[in-house]
Amino acid sequence: MATAKLDFKKQGEHVLVALDGELMFDLHWQAAVEKGEQLLADARNPALERVVTNTGRVLMDLEKSAARDLGTALIAAGRLIEEITKAEAVALDSAILVRAGCPFTLAMHPKIVEMANLEASHNRALRRAMPSIQSQSAVGVPGLIQETA
Amino acid sequence: MANALFDIGREGFLGGDIDWDANNIKINFIDHADDNPNVATDDFLDDIAGAAIVATSGNLANKTKTSGVSDADDITVSTVSGDQFESVLIYKDTGTGSTSNLIAKIDTATGLPCTPNGGNITVQWDSGANKIFKL
């Protein structure tokens, strides 16, 4: 049996999925996540032997394992686009974690992680609210000598 | 609370906003009864209540920065009078409070707290490894 080749591409806020070079899905990231979750749910359904779904272009008749793989990939692609479209909010939320000293952020994208680190360092409101980053710098202990007036 | 650098001071050094040996660096004596500086949230001199500033020095002289360790000549503030003060503030003086970066707060020092008697007060910087402060 020949193996079909799936390709995923990002186009703006959309996920494009091609099967053997032919475009099957052109979904907004939210729709891609929903579609992926639906495929996973169908793949888990013991009443179904195969997963049949309408892509909008063709009717797909998938084995459960293929539906699981496609669903997982759609969700991953959709979430990745969500992260990029909501980069500013994700970076701000991540900055709170950075400020709190967590060794991880909410983002995978290196640019968003960089934005989060910048916000953690420079966002004045955040710094005032979470003044907890400890410095390794050291300040000496001077002496004050007062002369008599 | 131990002696510490202000967050804005550390940022200033990293961002190139503070040039230790080229800028005018001064110290203030601070009365905590009027304002206790917060190293995490206070940024510039205008964040410190004016009433808290008991005295201000002239510019630190002969500043050095070898290996990231800041040092300068001991400094004398002349004829200091007023309220008891609990800390010494080091800051970059631009002449404008809103742009004068706070650098360090020293509240642990021999002779602190200090009640001025009208005479001169000399601050002798630490001669150990950290000198005034080490980045």
Side-chain angles (χ1 to χ4, degrees), chain A residues 28-52:
Chain A
H28 187 267
W29 67 263
Q30 283 174 316
V33 171
E34 284 168 14
K35 191 77 178 173
E37 285 171 347
Q38 183 196 328
L39 284 168
L40 290 182
D42 288 347
R44 282 194 300 268
N45 187 346
L48 298 176
E49 286 191 8
R50 297 178 66 82
V51 176
V52 179

PDB file of all heavy atoms in Angstrom, chain A residues 28-52:
ATOM      1  N   HIS A  28      -8.252  28.261   9.363  1.00  0.00           N
ATOM      2  CA  HIS A  28      -7.779  29.196  10.380  1.00  0.00           C
ATOM      3  C   HIS A  28      -7.238  28.371  11.542  1.00  0.00           C
ATOM      4  O   HIS A  28      -7.685  27.245  11.767  1.00  0.00           O
ATOM      5  CB  HIS A  28      -8.939  30.085  10.844  1.00  0.00           C
ATOM      6  CG  HIS A  28      -8.529  31.200  11.763  1.00  0.00           C
ATOM      7  ND1 HIS A  28      -8.542  31.071  13.124  1.00  0.00           N
ATOM      8  CD2 HIS A  28      -8.061  32.444  11.497  1.00  0.00           C
ATOM      9  CE1 HIS A  28      -8.121  32.203  13.672  1.00  0.00           C
ATOM     10  NE2 HIS A  28      -7.821  33.053  12.703  1.00  0.00           N
ATOM     11  N   TRP A  29      -6.270  28.914  12.285  1.00  0.00           N
ATOM     12  CA  TRP A  29      -5.642  28.089  13.335  1.00  0.00           C
ATOM     13  C   TRP A  29      -6.639  27.564  14.345  1.00  0.00           C
ATOM     14  O   TRP A  29      -6.508  26.433  14.845  1.00  0.00           O
ATOM     15  CB  TRP A  29      -4.510  28.853  14.032  1.00  0.00           C
ATOM     16  CG  TRP A  29      -4.916  30.046  14.846  1.00  0.00           C
ATOM     17  CD1 TRP A  29      -4.901  31.339  14.455  1.00  0.00           C
ATOM     18  CD2 TRP A  29      -5.395  30.047  16.198  1.00  0.00           C
ATOM     19  NE1 TRP A  29      -5.346  32.158  15.457  1.00  0.00           N
ATOM     20  CE2 TRP A  29      -5.644  31.402  16.551  1.00  0.00           C
ATOM     21  CE3 TRP A  29      -5.627  29.059  17.144  1.00  0.00           C
ATOM     22  CZ2 TRP A  29      -6.133  31.763  17.808  1.00  0.00           C
ATOM     23  CZ3 TRP A  29      -6.108  29.425  18.396  1.00  0.00           C
ATOM     24  CH2 TRP A  29      -6.359  30.770  18.711  1.00  0.00           C
ATOM     25  N   GLN A  30      -7.686  28.373  14.637  1.00  0.00           N
ATOM     26  CA  GLN A  30      -8.686  27.885  15.601  1.00  0.00           C
ATOM     27  C   GLN A  30      -9.435  26.683  15.037  1.00  0.00           C
ATOM     28  O   GLN A  30      -9.684  25.700  15.734  1.00  0.00           O
ATOM     29  CB  GLN A  30      -9.678  29.000  15.934  1.00  0.00           C
ATOM     30  CG  GLN A  30      -9.108  30.024  16.907  1.00  0.00           C
ATOM     31  CD  GLN A  30     -10.030  31.193  17.114  1.00  0.00           C
ATOM     32  OE1 GLN A  30     -10.582  31.719  16.140  1.00  0.00           O
ATOM     33  NE2 GLN A  30     -10.176  31.624  18.349  1.00  0.00           N
ATOM     34  N   ALA A  31      -9.777  26.785  13.735  1.00  0.00           N
ATOM     35  CA  ALA A  31     -10.479  25.678  13.087  1.00  0.00           C
ATOM     36  C   ALA A  31      -9.576  24.454  12.994  1.00  0.00           C
ATOM     37  O   ALA A  31     -10.038  23.313  13.128  1.00  0.00           O
ATOM     38  CB  ALA A  31     -10.941  26.102  11.699  1.00  0.00           C
ATOM     39  N   ALA A  32      -8.272  24.686  12.786  1.00  0.00           N
ATOM     40  CA  ALA A  32      -7.331  23.560  12.707  1.00  0.00           C
ATOM     41  C   ALA A  32      -7.273  22.817  14.040  1.00  0.00           C
ATOM     42  O   ALA A  32      -7.268  21.584  14.072  1.00  0.00           O
ATOM     43  CB  ALA A  32      -5.946  24.073  12.325  1.00  0.00           C
ATOM     44  N   VAL A  33      -7.251  23.575  15.124  1.00  0.00           N
ATOM     45  CA  VAL A  33      -7.215  22.943  16.456  1.00  0.00           C
ATOM     46  C   VAL A  33      -8.509  22.160  16.689  1.00  0.00           C
ATOM     47  O   VAL A  33      -8.485  21.014  17.152  1.00  0.00           O
ATOM     48  CB  VAL A  33      -7.006  24.003  17.557  1.00  0.00           C
ATOM     49  CG1 VAL A  33      -7.196  23.388  18.938  1.00  0.00           C
ATOM     50  CG2 VAL A  33      -5.613  24.619  17.439  1.00  0.00           C
ATOM     51  N   GLU A  34      -9.649  22.796  16.329  1.00  0.00           N
ATOM     52  CA  GLU A  34     -10.938  22.106  16.524  1.00  0.00           C
ATOM     53  C   GLU A  34     -11.017  20.839  15.690  1.00  0.00           C
ATOM     54  O   GLU A  34     -11.466  19.787  16.160  1.00  0.00           O
ATOM     55  CB  GLU A  34     -12.088  23.054  16.165  1.00  0.00           C
ATOM     56  CG  GLU A  34     -12.346  24.105  17.239  1.00  0.00           C
ATOM     57  CD  GLU A  34     -13.289  25.202  16.753  1.00  0.00           C
ATOM     58  OE1 GLU A  34     -13.935  25.011  15.703  1.00  0.00           O
ATOM     59  OE2 GLU A  34     -13.350  26.242  17.434  1.00  0.00           O
ATOM     60  N   LYS A  35     -10.566  20.957  14.424  1.00  0.00           N
ATOM     61  CA  LYS A  35     -10.598  19.794  13.531  1.00  0.00           C
ATOM     62  C   LYS A  35      -9.708  18.671  14.077  1.00  0.00           C
ATOM     63  O   LYS A  35     -10.076  17.492  14.051  1.00  0.00           O
ATOM     64  CB  LYS A  35     -10.116  20.222  12.139  1.00  0.00           C
ATOM     65  CG  LYS A  35     -10.343  19.187  11.056  1.00  0.00           C
ATOM     66  CD  LYS A  35     -11.789  19.190  10.639  1.00  0.00           C
ATOM     67  CE  LYS A  35     -12.047  18.192   9.525  1.00  0.00           C
ATOM     68  NZ  LYS A  35     -13.484  18.081   9.232  1.00  0.00           N
ATOM     69  N   GLY A  36      -8.531  19.089  14.564  1.00  0.00           N
ATOM     70  CA  GLY A  36      -7.606  18.105  15.127  1.00  0.00           C
ATOM     71  C   GLY A  36      -8.211  17.402  16.326  1.00  0.00           C
ATOM     72  O   GLY A  36      -8.108  16.178  16.462  1.00  0.00           O
ATOM     73  N   GLU A  37      -8.859  18.183  17.187  1.00  0.00           N
ATOM     74  CA  GLU A  37      -9.460  17.582  18.388  1.00  0.00           C
ATOM     75  C   GLU A  37     -10.595  16.638  18.005  1.00  0.00           C
ATOM     76  O   GLU A  37     -10.783  15.579  18.622  1.00  0.00           O
ATOM     77  CB  GLU A  37      -9.961  18.692  19.321  1.00  0.00           C
ATOM     78  CG  GLU A  37      -8.799  19.384  20.047  1.00  0.00           C
ATOM     79  CD  GLU A  37      -9.220  20.627  20.813  1.00  0.00           C
ATOM     80  OE1 GLU A  37     -10.357  21.100  20.601  1.00  0.00           O
ATOM     81  OE2 GLU A  37      -8.390  21.135  21.597  1.00  0.00           O
ATOM     82  N   GLN A  38     -11.334  17.034  16.953  1.00  0.00           N
ATOM     83  CA  GLN A  38     -12.435  16.179  16.499  1.00  0.00           C
ATOM     84  C   GLN A  38     -11.902  14.853  15.947  1.00  0.00           C
ATOM     85  O   GLN A  38     -12.443  13.785  16.235  1.00  0.00           O
ATOM     86  CB  GLN A  38     -13.219  16.930  15.421  1.00  0.00           C
ATOM     87  CG  GLN A  38     -14.437  16.175  14.913  1.00  0.00           C
ATOM     88  CD  GLN A  38     -14.951  16.758  13.597  1.00  0.00           C
ATOM     89  OE1 GLN A  38     -14.836  17.960  13.360  1.00  0.00           O
ATOM     90  NE2 GLN A  38     -15.498  15.900  12.758  1.00  0.00           N
ATOM     91  N   LEU A  39     -10.802  14.938  15.180  1.00  0.00           N
ATOM     92  CA  LEU A  39     -10.193  13.716  14.633  1.00  0.00           C
ATOM     93  C   LEU A  39      -9.702  12.800  15.764  1.00  0.00           C
ATOM     94  O   LEU A  39      -9.881  11.575  15.717  1.00  0.00           O
ATOM     95  CB  LEU A  39      -9.021  14.074  13.715  1.00  0.00           C
ATOM     96  CG  LEU A  39      -9.398  14.598  12.321  1.00  0.00           C
ATOM     97  CD1 LEU A  39      -8.175  15.185  11.622  1.00  0.00           C
ATOM     98  CD2 LEU A  39      -9.994  13.486  11.482  1.00  0.00           C
ATOM     99  N   LEU A  40      -9.088  13.399  16.785  1.00  0.00           N
ATOM    100  CA  LEU A  40      -8.597  12.592  17.908  1.00  0.00           C
ATOM    101  C   LEU A  40      -9.754  11.938  18.653  1.00  0.00           C
ATOM    102  O   LEU A  40      -9.675  10.773  19.061  1.00  0.00           O
ATOM    103  CB  LEU A  40      -7.780  13.466  18.872  1.00  0.00           C
ATOM    104  CG  LEU A  40      -6.419  13.959  18.376  1.00  0.00           C
ATOM    105  CD1 LEU A  40      -5.711  14.758  19.467  1.00  0.00           C
ATOM    106  CD2 LEU A  40      -5.535  12.789  17.952  1.00  0.00           C
ATOM    107  N   ALA A  41     -10.853  12.706  18.801  1.00  0.00           N
ATOM    108  CA  ALA A  41     -12.020  12.150  19.493  1.00  0.00           C
ATOM    109  C   ALA A  41     -12.609  10.986  18.700  1.00  0.00           C
ATOM    110  O   ALA A  41     -12.950   9.935  19.272  1.00  0.00           O
ATOM    111  CB  ALA A  41     -13.062  13.251  19.697  1.00  0.00           C
ATOM    112  N   ASP A  42     -12.683  11.183  17.394  1.00  0.00           N
ATOM    113  CA  ASP A  42     -13.221  10.098  16.549  1.00  0.00           C
ATOM    114  C   ASP A  42     -12.307   8.869  16.598  1.00  0.00           C
ATOM    115  O   ASP A  42     -12.777   7.725  16.604  1.00  0.00           O
ATOM    116  CB  ASP A  42     -13.368  10.579  15.103  1.00  0.00           C
ATOM    117  CG  ASP A  42     -14.525  11.562  14.945  1.00  0.00           C
ATOM    118  OD1 ASP A  42     -15.341  11.668  15.894  1.00  0.00           O
ATOM    119  OD2 ASP A  42     -14.608  12.242  13.905  1.00  0.00           O
ATOM    120  N   ALA A  43     -11.003   9.118  16.632  1.00  0.00           N
ATOM    121  CA  ALA A  43     -10.050   8.001  16.659  1.00  0.00           C
ATOM    122  C   ALA A  43     -10.167   7.214  17.965  1.00  0.00           C
ATOM    123  O   ALA A  43      -9.867   6.022  18.009  1.00  0.00           O
ATOM    124  CB  ALA A  43      -8.628   8.525  16.489  1.00  0.00           C
ATOM    125  N   ARG A  44     -10.628   7.905  19.018  1.00  0.00           N
ATOM    126  CA  ARG A  44     -10.783   7.224  20.320  1.00  0.00           C
ATOM    127  C   ARG A  44     -12.125   6.508  20.441  1.00  0.00           C
ATOM    128  O   ARG A  44     -12.319   5.695  21.326  1.00  0.00           O
ATOM    129  CB  ARG A  44     -10.662   8.249  21.463  1.00  0.00           C
ATOM    130  CG  ARG A  44      -9.254   8.673  21.789  1.00  0.00           C
ATOM    131  CD  ARG A  44      -9.218   9.402  23.119  1.00  0.00           C
ATOM    132  NE  ARG A  44     -10.063  10.591  23.104  1.00  0.00           N
ATOM    133  CZ  ARG A  44      -9.625  11.807  22.784  1.00  0.00           C
ATOM    134  NH1 ARG A  44      -8.365  11.983  22.457  1.00  0.00           N
ATOM    135  NH2 ARG A  44     -10.441  12.840  22.781  1.00  0.00           N
ATOM    136  N   ASN A  45     -13.052   6.849  19.544  1.00  0.00           N
ATOM    137  CA  ASN A  45     -14.420   6.330  19.654  1.00  0.00           C
ATOM    138  C   ASN A  45     -14.455   4.838  19.304  1.00  0.00           C
ATOM    139  O   ASN A  45     -14.225   4.460  18.151  1.00  0.00           O
ATOM    140  CB  ASN A  45     -15.323   7.132  18.698  1.00  0.00           C
ATOM    141  CG  ASN A  45     -16.784   6.756  18.875  1.00  0.00           C
ATOM    142  OD1 ASN A  45     -17.102   5.735  19.500  1.00  0.00           O
ATOM    143  ND2 ASN A  45     -17.657   7.580  18.342  1.00  0.00           N
ATOM    144  N   PRO A  46     -14.753   3.957  20.260  1.00  0.00           N
ATOM    145  CA  PRO A  46     -14.737   2.517  19.974  1.00  0.00           C
ATOM    146  C   PRO A  46     -15.852   2.084  19.022  1.00  0.00           C
ATOM    147  O   PRO A  46     -15.780   0.994  18.430  1.00  0.00           O
ATOM    148  CB  PRO A  46     -14.914   1.886  21.361  1.00  0.00           C
ATOM    149  CG  PRO A  46     -15.555   2.932  22.193  1.00  0.00           C
ATOM    150  CD  PRO A  46     -15.117   4.249  21.662  1.00  0.00           C
ATOM    151  N   ALA A  47     -16.851   2.937  18.851  1.00  0.00           N
ATOM    152  CA  ALA A  47     -17.955   2.574  17.956  1.00  0.00           C
ATOM    153  C   ALA A  47     -17.558   2.725  16.493  1.00  0.00           C
ATOM    154  O   ALA A  47     -18.242   2.226  15.607  1.00  0.00           O
ATOM    155  CB  ALA A  47     -19.170   3.454  18.272  1.00  0.00           C
ATOM    156  N   LEU A  48     -16.487   3.439  16.244  1.00  0.00           N
ATOM    157  CA  LEU A  48     -16.063   3.663  14.864  1.00  0.00           C
ATOM    158  C   LEU A  48     -14.925   2.729  14.495  1.00  0.00           C
ATOM    159  O   LEU A  48     -14.029   2.494  15.303  1.00  0.00           O
ATOM    160  CB  LEU A  48     -15.592   5.120  14.676  1.00  0.00           C
ATOM    161  CG  LEU A  48     -16.628   6.220  14.919  1.00  0.00           C
ATOM    162  CD1 LEU A  48     -15.951   7.591  14.795  1.00  0.00           C
ATOM    163  CD2 LEU A  48     -17.779   6.104  13.932  1.00  0.00           C
ATOM    164  N   GLU A  49     -14.968   2.180  13.279  1.00  0.00           N
ATOM    165  CA  GLU A  49     -13.849   1.369  12.813  1.00  0.00           C
ATOM    166  C   GLU A  49     -12.878   2.220  12.030  1.00  0.00           C
ATOM    167  O   GLU A  49     -11.668   1.993  12.042  1.00  0.00           O
ATOM    168  CB  GLU A  49     -14.361   0.222  11.948  1.00  0.00           C
ATOM    169  CG  GLU A  49     -15.014  -0.858  12.769  1.00  0.00           C
ATOM    170  CD  GLU A  49     -15.274  -2.112  11.965  1.00  0.00           C
ATOM    171  OE1 GLU A  49     -14.797  -2.191  10.804  1.00  0.00           O
ATOM    172  OE2 GLU A  49     -15.958  -2.992  12.491  1.00  0.00           O
ATOM    173  N   ARG A  50     -13.405   3.194  11.317  1.00  0.00           N
ATOM    174  CA  ARG A  50     -12.577   4.126  10.562  1.00  0.00           C
ATOM    175  C   ARG A  50     -13.108   5.531  10.814  1.00  0.00           C
ATOM    176  O   ARG A  50     -14.221   5.708  11.303  1.00  0.00           O
ATOM    177  CB  ARG A  50     -12.621   3.790   9.057  1.00  0.00           C
ATOM    178  CG  ARG A  50     -12.035   2.415   8.740  1.00  0.00           C
ATOM    179  CD  ARG A  50     -12.147   2.114   7.263  1.00  0.00           C
ATOM    180  NE  ARG A  50     -11.331   2.985   6.427  1.00  0.00           N
ATOM    181  CZ  ARG A  50     -10.030   2.805   6.199  1.00  0.00           C
ATOM    182  NH1 ARG A  50      -9.402   1.780   6.763  1.00  0.00           N
ATOM    183  NH2 ARG A  50      -9.352   3.616   5.416  1.00  0.00           N
ATOM    184  N   VAL A  51     -12.306   6.518  10.486  1.00  0.00           N
ATOM    185  CA  VAL A  51     -12.713   7.908  10.697  1.00  0.00           C
ATOM    186  C   VAL A  51     -12.983   8.529   9.329  1.00  0.00           C
ATOM    187  O   VAL A  51     -12.094   8.598   8.479  1.00  0.00           O
ATOM    188  CB  VAL A  51     -11.626   8.714  11.431  1.00  0.00           C
ATOM    189  CG1 VAL A  51     -12.037  10.179  11.557  1.00  0.00           C
ATOM    190  CG2 VAL A  51     -11.373   8.105  12.802  1.00  0.00           C
ATOM    191  N   VAL A  52     -14.212   8.951   9.158  1.00  0.00           N
ATOM    192  CA  VAL A  52     -14.580   9.575   7.885  1.00  0.00           C
ATOM    193  C   VAL A  52     -14.846  11.046   8.158  1.00  0.00           C
ATOM    194  O   VAL A  52     -15.582  11.396   9.085  1.00  0.00           O
ATOM    195  CB  VAL A  52     -15.853   8.915   7.295  1.00  0.00           C
ATOM    196  CG1 VAL A  52     -16.236   9.591   5.985  1.00  0.00           C
ATOM    197  CG2 VAL A  52     -15.624   7.425   7.094  1.00  0.00           C
TER     198      VAL A  52
END
